Amino acid sequence: MKIVIIEDERDLGVLMRNFLVRQLNIREPEAAIKVAGSLNEGIACITEIMPDWIFIDNNLPDGKGIGEIQRIKSIYPDKKVYIVTMSAMTNLRDEAFKNGADYFLDKPISFVEVRNIFSQHRGEA
């Protein structure tokens, strides 16, 4: 399983990465999980590792994550990629789903919710 986390709050991105490494038993975390601090950096990571999951914050220094969901999905149109949007602005939930997000996480992030998301997809990785 490969994951890209696009989050400009570096500490949160690293915390999520460490949680996912432990939770998902990832053996080679350097290759499997990339943390990006901007949309441009995130797109580069997506192109590099072709992830199965993308966690994307909405407010990023170079744009709005929710507005880039379709662009992200078009990078590998024949591959199922789960996109989890993250925002403290819960009023963006409907917009995220309309743009193609699979999940929406309220900030501050609940790692119980993150674990529940992956529990729904056991065996698909």
Side-chain angles (χ1 to χ4, degrees):
M1 178 181 308
K2 294 182 180 178
I3 301 167
V4 171
I5 301 166
I6 307 172
E7 170 60 62
D8 62 330
E9 293 179 41
R10 186 79 182 150
D11 290 344
L12 177 57
V14 170
L15 186 65
M16 287 185 68
R17 179 182 181 277
N18 293 342
F19 172 81
L20 292 170
V21 166
R22 286 190 311 276
Q23 192 66 37
L24 302 172
N25 237 358
I26 294 178
R27 290 181 180 81
E28 295 182 29
E30 295 78 23
I33 301 179
K34 301 288 183 183
V35 178
S38 69
L39 281 172
N40 288 332
E41 186 182 346
I43 298 296
C45 291
I46 291 165
T47 303
E48 176 188 343
I49 71 168
M50 195 161 69
D52 305 291
W53 289 83
I54 299 167
F55 287 79
I56 186 167
D57 185 23
N58 186 54
N59 288 323
L60 294 161
D62 53 349
K64 301 291 184 191
I66 289 173
E68 296 295 322
I69 294 171
Q70 289 304 313
R71 175 179 162 206
I72 289 168
K73 286 189 171 196
S74 73
I75 294 172
Y76 296 105
D78 297 329
K79 177 179 173 41
K80 173 60 180 163
V81 178
Y82 293 100
I83 297 191
V84 182
T85 55
M86 306 177 292
S87 180
M89 299 174 65
T90 57
N91 62 319
L92 295 175
R93 180 182 302 272
D94 288 342
E95 182 181 348
F97 289 126
K98 283 179 190 170
N99 285 345
D102 297 289
Y103 297 95
F104 186 95
L105 287 174
D106 296 323
K107 283 185 167 185
I109 299 297
S110 161
F111 286 105
V112 170
E113 284 186 65
V114 174
R115 185 176 347 163
N116 289 342
I117 287 171
F118 281 99
S119 292
Q120 294 175 30
H121 295 278
R122 291 271 186 238
E124 290 184 25

